[in-house]
Amino acid sequence: MAGAFDFVPAIAALPLLAFVIALFAGQYMPKRGAEAGIAATAGSLILSIWTALTVAGMTGSETFYNENLYTWVAGVADSAVTLRLGVLVDPLTALMLVIVSLIALLVHVFSLGYMNDEGETGLPRYYAGLGLFTASMLAFVFSNNILMAFMFFELVGLCSYLLIGFWFREDGPPSAAKKAFLVTRFGDYFFLIGVVGIFATFGTGLFAPVEAASGTMESFPHMAEMAIEESETFFGYGAQTWMTILGLLVLGGVVGKSAQFPLHTWLPDAMEGPTPVSALIHAATMVAAGVYLVARMYGFYALSPQALAVIALIGGFTALFAATMGVVKQELKQVLAYSTISQYGYMMLALGAGGYVAAVFHLTTHAIFKALLFLGAGSVIIAMHHNENMWDMGGLKDKMPVTYWTFLSGSLALAGIVPFAGFWSKDEVLFEALIHGVGTEGTLGAMFLLAYAMGLLAVFFTGFYTFRMVYLTFHGNARTDVARDPEPVRWNVKAPLAVLGIGAATVGLVNMAPVEKLTGLHIDFLHQWLDGPEEGGWPDALSTDLHHYEELLHNVPHVDPAYPIGGEQTTLIVSAALSLGLALGGVLLARSLYGVDEPVEHTDKLGGAKALLTHNYYQDESQVWLAQGVTVPLARAADKFDQGVVDGVVNGVSSVSLFTGSRFRRIQSGVVSNYAALMTLSLVLLLVAFVVLGGVA
Amino acid sequence: MAIESQYYLLLSAAIFCIGVYGILTRQNALLFLMSVELMLNAANINLVAFSFYHGNLTGQVFSLFTMALAAAEVAVGIGIVLVLYRNFEDIDVTKAATMRW
């Protein structure tokens, strides 16, 4: 009987079909291709939920799936590498599939209000882009080897380029699209080298072992684990060092896609794209792809303490760094862009600090509340006739109640206020970072604690900029005529907002680890979901379960939890209270500064820091300088070498033959008699030579 | 009594030299062809003479082949002469000198 797993490829194939339909038949449809996209993503959502239910064991005993479906390059010799496409379904995949297809569906519906109702042109291209974007992300999620993941990772990047540059007739979007593409490509370059390195080292890119007729095909994290145990050497490096090198190379792609420092500069510019696209990019695809990749191959990263330290530090630093920049932004979507960078920093912090569940949890909740915030911002932008400056808004609370209440729900989640989704996940991230930082000895532990401190400080800024945004947009008196009489939005905007608004308030309940630890109730469902059954089942077959990761973290980099303040429960309460208190402090500060009828700018109080923050720490300027001041002269020197030395040698050789040719061609007179004379003369000369030299032999 | 072989060779060499001289000095394409024929026939005389000297027929058979080949060559040659005449209204070989650098 065909089970859910046989239909998993269709989850990505449906949006791909929608892409084709929207591209070629979209202009003949009443909604210009949106119908195909909505139907396809709804189909994907249903299939994803079915898959998730199957993984949960509700439809039978088959709870995981890992098969190679297609061989596109068969290795001929024994040692040759065979390249395959395959599907891996485990609880992490199933969870991500549901999130991505849900967000994609809501974004498609929202687009009806944001694009169709606004009378945009070129909509078939837009919906085709959305379809391909969704399809590549879904296929990336269920890839069972790193090469296939890389291919779809790149496709996601391409689609982001197409969609960010959707309004290509204006100046900003094409340049932002190019920037997004180039910056992420820069990271992906390292990822590609990492992929080649992994194939060269292990001969396989499988994330989890595959049971085939010819025997078990091992996964590369497992082989890496064995190699470290047996102290093998690769290319002159010890196994541990080599795994770190490979891990950091792959991390290059992650840093680019997930917009981590220093490759985060593309993301704020990407706000030039249509708002639903921003929602899709930030919540479920593209940016999520990087973090998901680390979670997918966590068994590999858990083997390298250096890689973990780098991930945690990058994450913690990005969380704080981006949050400070979000504080001074004037445009609604810019604030959200920096909040995205910051929140993905938290996920990286959690992954680096050994909080696998915390990272996946934050990825889940963030997908919901960030999609909500972007769609809410989209709703406000419709109402404001595409003016995004928050200083032109104000008082929208009463004019658009659905948007306001849902946006508030998302903002509370983002700020991490109990009991909204973001509180539970962010608290768990920080808690894991703290206990692993204290429990791990040596530099690694110190790094974790440093990253934790930065993450904790960022909580305050998050609360502040989130509620600065809410107060400026929705509270006080309307500051412009448009804000006094905003354009109403229709059901196709409100319905996705409502779904996500409820989600942002409740999705945190899937993993209330603090409550579980305090009361002993077993309600940490996500934890159990990623941990799997204790005996048999998918953890034994795939080794992608939490228990295995914890063992690895304990055995190889010696990452262990410890509770600095009293026992586990006290530490938990103190940690939660600390992050909640900081978040509330930020919210209250925002309220006192901007929660008045006629708010004014307070950025001048920052003094010299204001210029620094509004210019994003001169990140763009310094990167442009890197390109123009360093790369261009370097390229010019290389060009000179190429033109002068390499081409000079080649040209010199050829000029010799050109010269001799030009002399020799003069004997070609075109007169037959001359040729005959030459032939006769040559023959005579040959004969004379033979006679003089005494014959041939 | 039979004539000594060297006389045949002398005759053949003389005819060959006449042919070469013709090719080097003449401008008329038909005379060119005739000179080539002279050279070919000089070779034929050589073949027959050596055949006679060795007392077998191989050389004579070979010279028959040469004659057949020469006939074909003349056909091609006259064809070229015709084309030459059509294009240049003349059969002077030195005038057809355009196919050069």
Side-chain angles (χ1 to χ4, degrees):
Chain A
M1 198 194 98
F5 293 137
D6 297 318
F7 293 101
V8 170
I11 295 175
L14 281 174
L16 190 67
L17 191 67
F19 156 69
V20 176
I21 292 175
L23 196 61
F24 292 107
Q27 50 189 321
Y28 307 112
M29 295 180 171
K31 295 288 182 195
R32 300 286 181 268
E35 299 90 336
I38 291 172
T41 43
S44 295
L45 180 60
I46 291 167
L47 285 176
S48 304
I49 292 172
W50 187 20
T51 308
L53 290 179
T54 312
V55 171
M58 294 193 189
T59 58
S61 56
E62 288 284 311
T63 56
F64 66 95
Y65 183 80
N66 189 9
E67 295 290 336
N68 291 319
L69 297 182
Y70 176 70
T71 303
W72 56 288
V73 177
V76 272
D78 282 342
S79 59
V81 174
T82 302
L83 307 180
R84 296 188 180 86
L85 301 183
V87 170
L88 164 65
V89 180
D90 69 351
L92 178 65
T93 315
L95 175 71
M96 197 66 191
L97 284 176
V98 173
I99 297 173
V100 175
S101 46
L102 174 68
I103 305 285
L105 173 64
L106 295 175
V107 164
H108 272 86
V109 174
F110 186 85
S111 296
L112 287 177
Y114 196 84
M115 304 297 283
N116 291 52
D117 292 353
E118 299 281 285
E120 297 286 347
T121 52
L123 286 176
R125 187 163 52 87
Y126 174 78
Y127 285 110
L130 279 190
L132 188 60
F133 207 170
T134 315
S136 4
M137 184 63 193
L138 288 166
F140 167 75
V141 168
F142 64 61
S143 300
N144 84 335
N145 65 69
I146 195 162
L147 183 69
M148 179 176 168
F150 176 75
M151 286 153 59
F152 287 104
F153 204 68
E154 291 303 292
L155 259 182
V156 168
L158 168 74
C159 295
S160 74
Y161 167 78
L162 294 174
L163 287 170
I164 293 169
F166 176 70
W167 286 311
F168 61 89
R169 286 189 179 84
E170 295 161 27
D171 287 339
S175 135
K178 268 180 269 177
K179 187 173 178 185
F181 193 69
L182 289 176
V183 173
T184 55
R185 279 299 307 153
F186 182 73
D188 292 346
Y189 176 70
F190 297 101
F191 184 12
L192 178 59
I193 300 175
V195 170
V196 173
I198 284 172
F199 270 91
T201 311
F202 307 110
T204 178
L206 288 175
F207 290 130
V210 171
E211 296 289 341
S214 53
T216 311
M217 287 189 267
E218 272 307 335
S219 63
F220 74 87
H222 181 73
M223 287 157 86
E225 194 187 330
M226 294 292 119
I228 288 177
E229 247 169 53
E230 286 156 25
S231 306
E232 289 179 37
T233 52
F234 300 96
F235 309 101
Y237 293 100
Q240 187 89 56
T241 322
W242 184 243
M243 298 316 148
T244 306
I245 292 173
L246 288 180
L248 290 180
L249 281 171
V250 174
L251 193 66
V254 173
V255 167
K257 277 279 189 299
S258 280
Q260 298 297 295
F261 179 84
L263 298 182
H264 63 275
T265 48
W266 65 270
L267 196 138
D269 289 24
M271 292 299 113
E272 293 284 353
T275 308
V277 173
S278 306
L280 194 58
I281 288 181
H282 289 225
T285 60
M286 183 91 179
V287 193
V291 170
Y292 179 80
L293 183 68
V294 178
R296 179 75 286 167
M297 46 191 279
Y298 201 61
F300 189 73
Y301 279 111
L303 297 172
S304 162
Q306 291 90 345
L308 287 176
V310 169
I311 294 174
L313 277 182
I314 288 182
F317 181 68
T318 310
L320 178 60
F321 189 62
T324 55
M325 289 187 274
V327 166
V328 296
K329 293 288 167 281
Q330 304 201 335
E331 292 185 345
L332 188 52
K333 280 175 75 183
Q334 288 289 321
V335 179
L336 290 176
Y338 284 101
S339 79
T340 302
I341 302 176
S342 174
Q343 297 304 307
Y344 279 97
Y346 279 114
M347 291 171 215
M348 295 286 275
L349 166 62
L351 285 169
Y356 174 69
V357 178
V360 175
F361 187 28
H362 200 50
L363 186 62
T364 312
T365 57
H366 177 263
I368 304 286
F369 69 70
K370 190 47 64 68
L372 167 64
L373 287 173
F374 266 107
L375 296 186
S379 169
V380 170
I381 290 168
I382 296 175
M384 293 296 297
H385 299 290
H386 291 258
N387 181 352
E388 294 179 18
N389 192 339
M390 292 190 294
W391 290 103
D392 293 339
M393 300 176 187
L396 293 175
K397 182 171 79 151
D398 306 320
K399 312 280 182 9
M400 27 199 339
V402 174
T403 307
Y404 172 67
W405 289 110
T406 50
F407 199 87
L408 189 64
S409 163
S411 301
L412 288 166
L414 173 60
I417 306 295
V418 73
F420 289 86
F423 167 74
W424 303 105
S425 54
K426 204 184 290 178
D427 178 56
E428 194 169 339
V429 168
L430 292 170
F431 178 65
E432 294 279 342
L434 176 64
I435 59 170
H436 286 126
V438 173
T440 309
E441 291 181 359
T443 356
L444 187 58
M447 297 288 169
F448 286 171
L449 282 179
L450 179 62
Y452 166 75
M454 291 193 283
L456 192 64
L457 197 53
V459 170
F460 172 77
F461 287 104
T462 311
F464 179 72
Y465 69 67
T466 309
F467 276 85
R468 174 177 174 269
M469 170 176 77
V470 172
Y471 283 120
L472 284 182
T473 309
F474 291 102
H475 289 256
N477 296 331
R479 287 183 289 275
T480 54
D481 290 338
V482 186
R484 251 164 244 128
D485 182 25
E487 187 180 323
V489 292
R490 293 176 56 210
W491 67 270
N492 45 28
V493 169
K494 289 176 187 162
L497 285 178
V499 172
L500 290 169
I502 294 165
T506 56
V507 79
L509 306 182
V510 300
N511 198 32
M512 290 194 291
V515 180
E516 185 256 345
K517 292 203 177 96
L518 291 180
T519 61
L521 293 171
H522 290 288
I523 52 169
D524 52 342
F525 302 112
L526 187 71
H527 197 275
Q528 294 163 13
W529 174 254
L530 293 171
D531 204 5
E534 289 197 3
E535 293 288 323
W538 62 270
D540 276 3
L542 300 177
S543 324
T544 55
D545 60 304
L546 176 65
H547 189 66
H548 179 65
Y549 292 154
E550 277 175 349
E551 258 175 26
L552 286 182
L553 285 171
H554 173 74
N555 290 338
V556 187
H558 309 296
V559 174
D560 288 305
Y563 305 101
I565 314 145
E568 185 179 2
Q569 295 192 351
T570 336
T571 313
L572 187 76
I573 293 172
V574 169
S575 160
L578 203 57
S579 61
L580 186 61
L582 279 171
L584 281 174
V587 173
L588 291 177
L589 181 63
R591 183 186 158 85
S592 67
L593 288 180
Y594 298 100
V596 292
D597 285 346
E598 298 290 344
V600 287
E601 290 198 44
H602 294 282
T603 42
D604 287 338
K605 288 177 193 161
L606 292 170
K610 181 195 172 189
L612 192 64
L613 291 177
T614 41
H615 287 95
N616 306 326
Y617 295 95
Y618 299 100
Q619 282 284 299
D620 283 314
E621 284 80 355
S622 59
Q623 287 184 359
V624 166
W625 177 81
L626 267 183
Q628 288 180 345
V630 179
T631 317
V632 169
L634 204 65
R636 202 165 281 147
D639 181 59
K640 212 149 249 161
F641 178 79
D642 185 44
Q643 300 277 323
V645 178
V646 178
D647 287 12
V649 170
V650 175
N651 288 343
V653 169
S654 73
S655 76
V656 169
S657 14
L658 270 176
F659 177 76
T660 40
S662 71
R663 286 287 169 275
F664 265 100
R665 71 178 182 183
R666 305 213 176 271
I667 61 170
Q668 298 281 340
S669 61
V671 179
V672 182
S673 308
N674 291 358
Y675 297 159
L678 276 176
M679 278 160 69
T680 316
L681 270 177
S682 319
L683 188 67
V684 170
L685 280 179
L686 207 63
L687 286 174
V688 168
F690 278 149
V691 168
V692 169
L693 297 174
V696 184
Chain B
M1 114 166 229
I3 303 170
E4 299 280 330
S5 297
Q6 59 263 44
Y7 295 111
Y8 294 111
L9 297 188
L10 272 175
L11 174 68
S12 142
I15 294 175
F16 189 84
C17 287
I18 293 169
V20 169
Y21 179 76
I23 281 181
L24 292 183
T25 53
R26 297 294 162 182
Q27 302 198 336
N28 188 319
L30 279 174
L31 288 178
F32 238 76
L33 264 182
M34 289 179 191
S35 306
V36 170
E37 284 306 304
L38 277 179
M39 286 155 72
L40 272 171
N41 281 311
N44 272 348
I45 291 171
N46 256 5
L47 284 168
V48 175
F50 280 113
S51 168
F52 174 70
Y53 178 77
H54 285 297
N56 65 24
L57 289 177
T58 316
Q60 298 197 27
V61 172
F62 213 87
S63 70
L64 281 176
F65 275 112
T66 316
M67 276 184 233
L69 211 68
E73 176 250 305
V74 167
V76 175
I78 289 179
I80 293 173
V81 173
L82 269 176
V83 176
L84 202 62
Y85 183 74
R86 276 186 204 154
N87 281 304
F88 295 92
E89 311 245 307
D90 199 351
I91 49 172
D92 186 340
V93 287
T94 56
K95 284 195 176 165
T98 48
M99 293 271 281
R100 63 196 179 97
W101 50 272

